[in-house]
Amino acid sequence: MIKIDYLHQLIYDANKGSSPLDDLVCDFAGLVCFDKFKSKIVFFYETKPTKIEAAAQDLKDKEQTSNGDAFTRIAGTLQRLVKEAVEESPDSWIRNEYYAGPALKITRLLDPSATEQYFIDLEIVKAKPRQSVPQYDGPSPVKSPLSGLAHREFRTADEKLSVNLWKLFDKPQKTDDQEKGNQEKKSRHVLIRGPAGVGKTTLCKNIVHEFLQGRLWAELFTRVLWLPLRNLKQQSFVDYNLSEIFRFGFFNGHRSADSHSKLLLRAVEDGGGSDTLFILDGLDEVSEFLDSSHQLYRSLLSLLEQRNVIITTRPHTAVPKEVKKLCLELEITGLSPDQVPAYLQTVVGASKVLEIQQFLHKHRLDQSLARIPIQLDALASLWNDDSNDTKTLRTMTGVYQAVVQQLWKKDATRLGKITEAAAADAPDTEINKCMEPLNNLLQQLAFSGMYNGVVEFQQRHQTTAIESANLSLKDWGTPHEYLGSTSFLRGSDHLTPSSRRVFHYSHLMYQEFFAAQYIARQWENGRELEYCDFNTDKQKTISPIELLQQHKLDARYNIMFRFLMGLLNQEKRACFLEAMEMEPSEILGLTAQWPELIMHCLTEFDYQSEKRTHYERTLAEWVLHNYESGDALMLARDAEFPDESLKIIFSEGSLERKRTILPYLEPITVCSSDTKRQIIMKLFEDPDKILVFRAIEMFSDESNFPDTARDAIFELLRDEDPNVLKTAIYVLGEKPNLPDHMVEKIIEISEDPRKGPSVRGTAVLSLGNQLGFLRAPERSNLLNETLETLRRLSRDADQEVRSWARFALREQSDLPGSEREMYASSDDGMLIDSPGLSESAS
């Protein structure tokens, strides 16, 4: 072994023609040239690039000497050793081995296709803090965050606050405590929150994938280190430091794990962290590490405080204050409505996309969940199996039951419990019977994991679950064989030998579903819930009622309890809801977690009952009681908020409360229920004009609402209130193919000087929107009448009316070019905002 310092000295001596060195070189060259050199050289060298190149070049220059060929062979050998050392560097290992393995694989319910097909651009928006909402204080609309199309402002806040993640690090963000004009922040911290299954991990894998392809931040970072934080739970650390985290995170099983982890840490520290991006995925899954008394607290905190960090977590997880103040907070909202059809085509093909979309339109719960990729996968998998009766699916629990049943059928054939031919026609009861032992094990494992806060199941967890479930699985093979063969579990570390593999559910929602199945099975059979305390390895029990009372306000259990409600029979559902009302009893004063859980649980059974009616009223009263809080408004806005609760709010709530709540509701669309549409249309008759025009605005996003709604809005054209009149005209003008009599009424309003310039301007704008729908031959007379009206109005005495008329005519491509140029050359200043929107809001 030759240290680089000695090598340079040897080269220096060689240049001077030292005879002993010549002899040494000849001996070494002989070994190399005649393949007698069997031992591997370990080349220690400095990281400065010029020295290695200089050493090799100096040796090449010796070709002019008598031993030139020998020096060439030596230089080649040194270069090969250096290349091997570089290829074995920690960064190369992570890039070429760790990321090239299953680490970046996207787990899908359907047969996987090319990986890149599943990397998707999810909607990401800046997080908006919840706060109390200012109120109207006058008889007519005034400027306020809730004025005008406030519901539209709230809804399109996603557009205004949308974030292009790929440009997020283009320019360092400014910190709040820096003075204006000061130097830019050198570190970047991004906190991305999102619900289960929304695609946070997929987004992380996408970032790594794009970086490796050189398409993302290649000029900013030397390395991107993606750490699924759940993996930290499976390790027993000797030293609680970053080097140990790197060792288990990237080099587990590598022959040089210790040295590689230390070299990686040194590389990060040498660059001051500026050339390294950390992606810390799933902070919620290691929330217990955030306790300052935990042994891993300091190490986790040091990760969170690195120079460049992206952190993902579920919404409920609290982030340390010292980290939170550094962060740009974002929310991942899943697929946009426009992305859903495109995403479906990648997993089921175009022929079935329309069927699924029709299903989503019919079932508003699944429509809202379809923005979450894993939920959309679950739905799509059902359409890929022609034997499924998708007409029976009404709830999230029903969807998951069908998906799990379908996957059990595949697993039964994979594990040799039934032939593929027999499985095709086998009833569910037969599949369930042959898979019952494994199904019960997954349920037991899931519940013990939920109760212990464990998502990574080590070998001792697996063994304990098998023993506690009292299952006979001897003919199924070894645990790692049958657990690794299910569609519901994944090995978290592909480098670990199969006999010591650690498993996690392919998604946390599957763990929550299987845990709920276990509770429902035990409860309906009158048994206690058995679980293993993973800290003591002792078996313990708890009753279902005790579990509900202890954890009903724990957000971590929310989805599991939702599944449980969908799985229980009617008798146990009543017990479930009664347990929800036990202490604390001051329901109206509770935080949003309790009513949110009740709301989600109500969606899991779709029949009307006395209990359901009671809780629908309770939810309405909670919103009315807390109407000034952001939590209450967000609850009422939720797509799953019961229609009957909305009916109570707008039939019994005070005017002030109705004025505050209405702008925060989701707009009416083709997917809205008939009941919700009727509730909003009922407000057209309200004497309060603010409520009326806000109710009209609720229809501004529905391009094809029913004739009943269109006719009701048309009747409001008789209203004398200018805000109501403008809003009704604008909403009607946005709809395609208005009947002739409605267009003629808008023409009449546009030419009526008594209506005022703002109302008339809105009418002109609506006429311009309708021109494209009047091109049919049978409507030519009305088209000509509308065009002549706009031409007259282009010379109107009022500047606002004149400007909008000229704008509408200039946009008609079938008009003669000279006429369009005449309107374009107008020196009237064009209006920036639509009169139908801007003035109804002011």
Side-chain angles (χ1 to χ4, degrees):
M1 295 185 290
I2 306 174
K3 289 188 176 180
I4 192 68
D5 291 340
Y6 294 161
L7 179 61
H8 279 289
Q9 182 62 44
L10 290 173
I11 294 172
Y12 175 75
D13 291 341
N15 288 331
K16 297 196 319 182
S18 168
S19 179
L21 179 59
D22 288 341
D23 295 339
L24 177 62
V25 169
C26 288
D27 291 341
F28 178 69
L31 292 173
V32 172
C33 293
F34 296 102
D35 295 325
K36 295 179 181 179
F37 191 74
K38 302 300 182 183
S39 301
K40 184 171 182 176
I41 291 179
V42 179
F43 195 159
F44 293 91
Y45 62 93
E46 296 178 11
T47 56
K48 297 179 181 179
T50 55
K51 289 191 177 181
I52 300 174
E53 295 174 2
Q57 187 60 47
D58 283 340
L59 287 170
K60 282 186 176 182
D61 291 342
K62 289 296 182 177
E63 289 185 48
Q64 304 304 318
T65 70
S66 57
N67 293 322
D69 183 61
F71 278 112
T72 301
R73 294 292 300 274
I74 295 168
T77 301
L78 292 177
Q79 288 174 324
R80 174 175 55 79
L81 293 173
V82 169
K83 182 180 179 183
E84 289 178 359
V86 171
E87 289 176 349
E88 279 288 305
S89 70
D91 283 328
S92 295
W93 167 263
I94 293 172
R95 176 186 290 267
N96 299 323
E97 299 295 333
Y98 180 76
Y99 287 151
L104 296 185
K105 183 179 179 182
I106 304 294
T107 303
R108 295 295 175 205
L109 295 176
L110 305 179
D111 293 334
S113 216
T115 301
E116 289 193 29
Q117 281 187 294
Y118 292 117
F119 284 134
I120 51 179
D121 290 328
L122 299 165
E123 280 196 326
I124 302 175
V125 301
K126 290 182 180 178
K128 194 172 182 180
R130 296 180 180 182
Q131 56 189 359
S132 296
V133 182
Q135 306 298 310
Y136 283 109
D137 56 4
S140 61
V142 295
K143 287 188 177 181
S144 159
L146 292 182
S147 61
L149 294 185
H151 75 272
R152 173 185 284 259
E153 291 297 318
F154 185 90
R155 180 181 54 79
T156 57
D158 287 8
E159 298 171 19
K160 294 187 175 182
L161 299 175
S162 63
V163 175
N164 185 335
L165 186 66
W166 313 129
K167 296 182 179 179
L168 190 61
F169 288 159
D170 284 0
K171 293 182 179 179
Q173 305 295 314
K174 299 270 189 176
T175 54
D176 292 338
D177 55 354
Q178 284 179 329
E179 294 180 2
K180 290 182 179 179
N182 274 8
Q183 64 176 0
E184 290 183 319
K185 172 181 177 182
K186 295 182 179 179
S187 60
R188 305 169 176 93
H189 291 75
V190 180
L191 176 65
I192 301 178
R193 297 184 185 272
V198 76
K200 298 184 293 296
T201 295
T202 298
L203 178 68
C204 295
K205 292 180 179 183
N206 193 3
I207 292 173
V208 176
H209 178 76
E210 293 297 302
F211 175 77
L212 294 178
Q213 299 300 315
R215 296 192 288 256
L216 178 66
W217 304 332
E219 71 285 358
L220 295 177
F221 303 116
T222 302
R223 65 189 63 83
V224 172
L225 300 179
W226 169 51
L227 277 167
L229 295 178
R230 74 161 74 93
N231 290 354
L232 301 182
K233 284 189 168 186
Q234 72 188 55
Q235 307 298 345
S236 298
F237 291 91
V238 178
D239 296 314
Y240 293 87
N241 53 43
L242 286 185
S243 179
E244 282 286 280
I245 290 176
F246 290 163
R247 182 164 73 91
F248 287 117
F250 300 109
F251 309 114
N252 199 10
H254 191 283
R255 65 179 184 275
S256 303
D258 288 338
S259 61
H260 270 38
S261 60
K262 292 174 182 176
L263 285 172
L264 179 60
L265 178 60
R266 186 185 306 164
V268 172
E269 291 176 342
D270 286 348
S274 60
D275 62 345
T276 303
L277 171 62
F278 285 87
I279 303 178
L280 308 180
D281 186 18
L283 184 63
D284 54 292
E285 298 186 54
V286 293
S287 56
E288 65 270 29
F289 293 176
L290 297 176
D291 185 337
S292 59
S293 64
H294 196 283
Q295 290 176 302
L296 268 175
Y297 172 74
R298 295 308 311 173
S299 296
L300 180 58
L301 189 62
S302 67
L303 276 176
L304 296 171
E305 291 178 334
Q306 290 293 317
R307 289 276 294 273
N308 304 291
V309 185
I310 293 176
I311 306 162
T312 72
T313 182
R314 283 192 183 185
H316 67 267
T317 304
V319 179
K321 291 181 180 179
E322 53 266 50
V323 175
K324 188 177 176 67
K325 67 182 180 182
L326 300 173
C327 289
L328 169 65
E329 291 198 48
L330 306 176
E331 294 177 6
I332 182 168
T333 58
L335 298 166
S336 70
D338 294 336
Q339 288 174 315
V340 170
Y343 183 85
L344 284 171
Q345 288 190 25
T346 68
V347 291
V348 297
S351 62
K352 296 183 179 180
V353 171
L354 181 59
E355 287 183 45
I356 299 177
Q357 284 185 287
Q358 290 172 339
F359 173 86
L360 294 175
H361 287 171
K362 188 174 181 180
H363 302 289
R364 63 173 185 162
L365 166 64
D366 294 303
Q367 182 219 351
S368 63
L369 292 175
R371 297 193 63 181
I372 300 177
I374 192 171
Q375 302 283 11
L376 196 55
D377 277 345
L379 282 171
S381 70
L382 302 181
W383 264 265
N384 256 27
D385 187 341
D386 295 331
S387 65
N388 285 313
D389 181 11
T390 53
K391 295 179 181 179
T392 63
L393 303 177
R394 297 181 180 275
T395 65
M396 188 172 84
T397 304
V399 168
Y400 268 79
Q401 283 178 303
V403 169
V404 168
Q405 189 64 45
Q406 178 175 275
L407 294 178
W408 272 136
K409 183 179 290 188
K410 292 182 180 179
D411 290 349
T413 59
R414 186 186 298 123
L415 287 164
K417 300 303 175 182
I418 190 171
T419 65
E420 190 169 341
D425 299 321
D428 291 346
T429 53
E430 183 178 344
I431 299 295
N432 293 341
K433 184 176 181 180
C434 69
M435 299 304 290
E436 183 177 12
L438 189 53
N439 187 19
N440 290 347
L441 174 58
L442 293 192
Q443 292 177 14
Q444 182 88 42
L445 193 66
F447 178 70
S448 291
M450 289 296 297
Y451 200 85
N452 286 275
V454 170
V455 294
E456 292 286 340
F457 298 95
Q458 301 178 40
Q459 192 173 25
R460 68 182 184 89
H461 299 145
Q462 302 163 29
T463 302
T464 302
I466 293 171
E467 292 174 352
S468 63
N470 194 25
L471 300 173
S472 177
L473 291 163
K474 291 181 180 179
D475 59 337
W476 290 67
T478 61
H480 76 268
E481 289 174 339
Y482 53 74
L483 290 177
S485 297
T486 73
S487 300
F488 309 105
L489 294 178
R490 294 288 180 271
S492 60
D493 187 354
H494 65 282
L495 299 176
T496 303
S498 59
S499 60
R500 293 189 287 110
R501 291 190 73 188
V502 176
F503 291 97
H504 64 273
Y505 286 82
S506 57
H507 193 277
L508 187 56
M509 291 185 75
Y510 282 112
Q511 182 172 346
E512 291 160 329
F513 179 76
F514 277 104
Q517 279 191 317
Y518 174 73
I519 300 171
R521 175 164 59 89
Q522 294 292 97
W523 198 354
E524 292 181 355
N525 289 328
R527 302 192 192 110
E528 296 279 281
L529 305 176
E530 299 178 2
Y531 67 95
C532 176
D533 185 332
F534 288 154
N535 293 320
T536 64
D537 287 337
K538 292 183 178 179
Q539 294 298 315
K540 297 184 178 180
T541 62
I542 186 173
S543 73
I545 296 297
E546 287 177 315
L547 179 74
L548 291 171
Q549 286 182 275
Q550 288 180 16
H551 297 288
K552 64 184 176 183
L553 298 183
D554 187 342
R556 189 166 61 89
Y557 285 80
N558 192 302
I559 294 176
M560 185 185 76
F561 286 153
R562 175 178 183 154
F563 281 136
L564 178 58
M565 172 60 81
L567 292 167
L568 291 172
N569 58 34
Q570 192 166 349
E571 176 190 351
K572 297 305 180 186
R573 280 177 178 170
C575 296
F576 179 104
L577 293 172
E578 287 174 5
M580 289 291 104
E581 281 199 78
M582 294 180 184
E583 295 294 334
S585 58
E586 292 296 326
I587 292 174
L588 295 181
L590 289 177
T591 62
Q593 291 173 332
W594 185 91
E596 184 178 2
L597 174 60
I598 290 296
M599 176 184 71
H600 291 321
C601 288
L602 288 181
T603 63
E604 294 306 311
F605 63 102
D606 56 358
Y607 58 85
Q608 203 65 32
S609 67
E610 186 177 339
K611 273 289 182 184
R612 184 185 183 92
T613 301
H614 164 73
Y615 283 108
E616 287 170 342
R617 173 163 289 278
T618 299
L619 288 175
E621 291 174 352
W622 187 86
V623 170
L624 289 171
H625 182 78
N626 299 280
Y627 76 102
E628 291 183 298
S629 77
D631 283 338
L633 295 172
M634 292 297 287
L635 188 76
R637 172 184 169 84
D638 196 291
E640 295 178 347
F641 192 72
D643 287 339
E644 293 302 316
S645 299
L646 280 180
K647 187 182 293 185
I648 294 170
I649 287 173
F650 289 106
S651 62
E652 301 180 15
S654 67
L655 177 60
E656 181 183 14
R657 284 167 169 77
K658 289 189 286 188
R659 280 184 177 183
T660 302
I661 295 168
L662 181 58
Y664 273 76
L665 299 184
E666 282 283 357
I668 299 294
T669 68
V670 292
C671 301
S672 300
S673 67
D674 290 337
T675 303
K676 182 176 179 180
R677 188 176 286 109
Q678 292 299 322
I679 291 170
I680 303 304
M681 288 172 57
K682 183 70 175 175
L683 295 176
F684 293 171
E685 305 168 8
D686 198 281
D688 183 72
K689 298 305 180 182
I690 294 178
L691 278 182
V692 175
F693 87 78
R694 282 181 172 171
I696 302 169
E697 290 167 354
M698 290 287 288
F699 287 86
S700 61
D701 274 5
E702 186 174 18
S703 59
N704 288 294
F705 48 59
D707 292 348
T708 53
R710 183 198 63 194
D711 295 344
I713 294 175
F714 177 72
E715 290 301 313
L716 293 171
L717 298 187
R718 297 189 176 91
D719 201 291
E720 296 298 323
D721 184 274
N723 291 297
V724 171
L725 187 54
K726 281 191 303 182
T727 310
I729 294 171
Y730 177 82
V731 170
L732 287 174
E734 290 288 296
K735 308 311 168 191
N737 292 313
L738 283 182
D740 289 2
H741 73 281
M742 293 187 181
V743 177
E744 290 167 352
K745 181 64 177 178
I746 295 174
I747 290 175
E748 177 188 325
I749 293 173
S750 71
E751 296 192 289
D752 187 348
R754 296 172 299 174
K755 299 299 183 184
S758 182
V759 171
R760 294 178 65 208
T762 305
V764 171
L765 175 67
S766 294
L767 290 176
N769 291 337
Q770 287 298 308
L771 284 174
F773 305 114
L774 300 177
R775 305 294 182 187
E778 63 272 15
R779 306 189 78 184
S780 58
N781 291 338
L782 184 57
L783 173 63
N784 293 331
E785 181 184 353
T786 305
L787 285 171
E788 286 305 313
T789 299
L790 290 173
R791 289 184 176 111
R792 286 194 301 273
L793 294 175
S794 71
R795 301 184 296 274
D796 194 87
D798 185 86
Q799 187 268 344
E800 184 171 344
V801 173
R802 190 168 64 245
S803 293
W804 282 111
R806 292 177 178 181
F807 174 79
L809 290 166
R810 192 170 65 232
E811 293 298 304
Q812 306 309 308
S813 58
D814 56 346
L815 289 181
S818 58
E819 182 178 357
R820 292 170 60 202
E821 288 177 9
M822 178 182 67
Y823 300 129
S825 63
S826 165
D827 50 14
D828 276 335
M830 289 306 302
L831 303 178
I832 297 175
D833 294 320
S834 158
L837 298 179
S838 61
E839 294 202 11
S840 67
S842 60

